[in-house]
Amino acid sequence: MTYREFIEKFPDDESVAKYLIEKRFEGKIVCPFCGKTEKVYHAHYNCRNAYCNNCKMEFSIFKGTIFEETRMPLRHWLYAINMVCLSKKGISAMQLKRELGVSYKTAWRMVHKIRSAMAKREVGETFEAIVEIDETYVGGKPRKKNEHGDDDDLPKNPRGRGTAKVPVIGVRERGTGKVHAVVANRNEEGKQLTGKQLFNVLSKVCKPNTKVMTDQFKGYNILNYPNNKNLTRIMIDHNVMFSAGNGVHTNGIESFWALLKRGIHGIFHHVSLKHLQKYVDEFCFRQCYRNENEAFEVLMGLCWK
C-alpha cells in the first residue's frame, strides 16, 4: 500500500483492531479459554481486548500473535509490516526507528518479529517443471595482503569454496520465480555443501520428475545417480559459458543472490550467523510475492499461525 492508501484504510487503532478481528477470526472472536464464539464481545473500552460472557474471562485478541503484549500503537506495527513488504532490499531497524520515532531496541524487536512471521511461509513440495539451484557465500570480503608485508603472519583467507564465509543454498522455480533458500550449516562431520545436503534441500521443495539446472560443482553429482524423486540434472559449465542459449543456465537464482547481497551490504551492513536464516527468509518471502498485490495480506495471515 502507498502511504495515502494506508492512512485511509487504517485511520486509528480501532480500525486496525477491527481489521485483525476480521482477518483472524472472520468476524467471530474465539475465546482461548472455553473455545466458544457465542457471547464473546469486543471490548468497547479497549480495542485490544475481548470479553467472554460464558467463562467470564477477559483476554487479548492478539494472544498467540506477534502483537501479543505489545504496548506500541497498532498502526505502528502495520506500517512497519507495510514498509518491509514494499522495500525491495529490506528496511533496517535504524531506518524504522527514524520512521516511527521509537528506540532502536523497539524497532529491532519489531523487524525480527515480522521476519519470524515471514519464516512461517509454507513451502512443501510445490516446485515443479524446471528449477535452478545454486549456492552463495555471505560474509565479509576476504582481504588481500597489503604491500608492506606486516601481515605475513596472519592466516590466509582463501577465496571461493575454501572461504570462511557462510554458504547459503537456494532453489528457484523458473516458471513462477519463487525461491527457497537455507543456510548450509555444518553437519556432524564438520562438512558443508555435501551432495546429501544439497539433495535434501531439493527434495523438500521439488515434486518428482523435476528438471534441475546446476553448475559444475561436484556436490550435484548425486543427481547423476538414481534417486527416489527422479530429479534430472542439466548442467552448465561456468568455466566455459554462463548460458548455453537454449535455456540451460542458473541466472535466475544468481539474480536472487545479487539482491540478497545488495540488501545485506547496503541496508543491513552486517548480519550475524545466529540471525542469518531470518534475513534469508525475509528476502525469499518478498521474492515469492513480488508480483502480487496481496503480499501484505499474506504476511498478516502469517502473524498468528
Side-chain angles (χ1 to χ4, degrees):
M1 291 180 288
T2 63
Y3 177 72
R4 177 177 295 180
E5 292 172 339
F6 180 83
I7 60 177
E8 289 178 354
K9 187 172 183 177
F10 305 114
D12 49 36
D13 274 12
E14 285 74 14
S15 61
V16 175
K18 290 178 180 179
Y19 166 79
L20 293 175
I21 289 174
E22 183 63 33
K23 186 74 176 176
R24 183 183 186 186
F25 302 108
E26 297 182 354
K28 295 183 179 180
I29 303 176
V30 180
C31 176
F33 298 100
C34 64
K36 296 181 179 180
T37 58
E38 297 180 356
K39 297 182 180 181
V40 180
Y41 308 103
H42 188 202
H44 64 276
Y45 49 85
N46 186 346
C47 66
R48 303 183 182 210
N49 289 357
Y51 178 76
C52 179
N53 203 28
N54 301 291
C55 57
K56 310 300 181 184
M57 296 293 292
E58 186 173 353
F59 58 91
S60 170
I61 61 174
F62 304 126
K63 188 175 180 62
T65 74
I66 66 172
F67 313 114
E68 186 175 0
E69 298 182 356
T70 181
R71 290 178 288 181
M72 289 287 296
L74 299 177
R75 293 182 74 206
H76 282 30
W77 274 98
L78 266 64
Y79 184 73
I81 290 173
N82 191 50
M83 290 294 293
V84 171
C85 291
L86 285 178
S87 305
K88 188 175 183 180
K89 298 177 184 177
I91 180 170
S92 66
M94 282 298 295
Q95 180 62 30
L96 193 63
K97 167 195 168 184
R98 291 187 286 265
E99 292 277 352
L100 299 179
V102 298
S103 67
Y104 174 76
K105 184 177 180 180
T106 298
W108 189 90
R109 176 180 178 274
M110 290 176 71
V111 292
H112 272 279
K113 285 284 187 179
I114 295 170
R115 291 186 186 110
S116 66
M118 287 177 161
K120 295 177 183 178
R121 177 179 63 94
E122 296 180 1
V123 183
E125 297 180 1
T126 57
F127 291 8
E128 57 185 349
I130 301 175
V131 301
E132 303 170 12
I133 184 172
D134 193 29
E135 69 287 341
T136 192
Y137 297 86
V138 177
K141 185 177 180 179
R143 299 297 180 184
K144 293 182 179 180
K145 300 177 69 175
N146 60 42
E147 298 177 357
H148 304 290
D150 55 0
D151 60 354
D152 290 340
D153 297 332
L154 296 176
K156 293 183 179 181
N157 193 353
R159 296 169 178 266
R161 290 193 169 89
T163 184
K165 294 192 288 186
V166 182
V168 181
I169 306 170
V171 183
R172 178 182 181 271
E173 186 181 28
R174 184 170 290 181
T176 61
K178 292 186 176 182
V179 172
H180 172 68
V182 295
V183 177
N185 296 314
R186 297 185 180 275
N187 59 17
E188 297 177 353
E189 300 176 356
K191 296 181 180 180
Q192 294 171 308
L193 299 179
T194 62
K196 185 177 180 180
Q197 190 176 32
L198 294 167
F199 180 77
N200 288 340
V201 175
L202 275 171
S203 61
K204 180 180 179 180
V205 297
C206 292
K207 292 182 178 180
N209 303 314
T210 300
K211 296 180 180 179
V212 183
M213 302 287 179
T214 77
D215 57 19
Q216 72 278 15
F217 179 43
K218 64 181 181 180
Y220 299 116
N221 290 342
I222 192 173
L223 298 175
N224 297 335
Y225 304 99
N227 57 77
N228 58 1
K229 283 204 167 186
N230 294 324
L231 301 178
T232 303
R233 180 189 184 188
I234 303 176
M235 186 186 73
I236 178 74
D237 191 346
H238 285 167
N239 293 324
V240 179
M241 63 185 74
F242 288 101
S243 175
N246 55 354
V248 180
H249 60 78
T250 58
N251 295 343
I253 186 64
E254 288 171 2
S255 296
F256 175 75
W257 294 143
L259 193 64
L260 173 67
K261 290 186 176 182
R262 286 305 93 207
I264 292 177
H265 293 320
I267 304 297
F268 305 114
H269 305 309
H270 171 74
V271 175
S272 67
L273 177 59
K274 177 181 178 181
H275 298 293
L276 179 58
Q277 184 62 56
K278 297 177 184 177
Y279 288 87
V280 172
D281 290 335
E282 175 187 348
F283 279 84
C284 286
F285 180 89
R286 271 197 301 269
Q287 175 72 15
C288 291
Y289 297 101
R290 71 195 187 285
N291 294 327
E292 299 183 20
N293 297 326
E294 59 201 55
F296 179 84
E297 298 291 336
V298 172
L299 182 52
M300 289 303 304
L302 296 174
C303 289
W304 46 75
K305 280 190 176 182

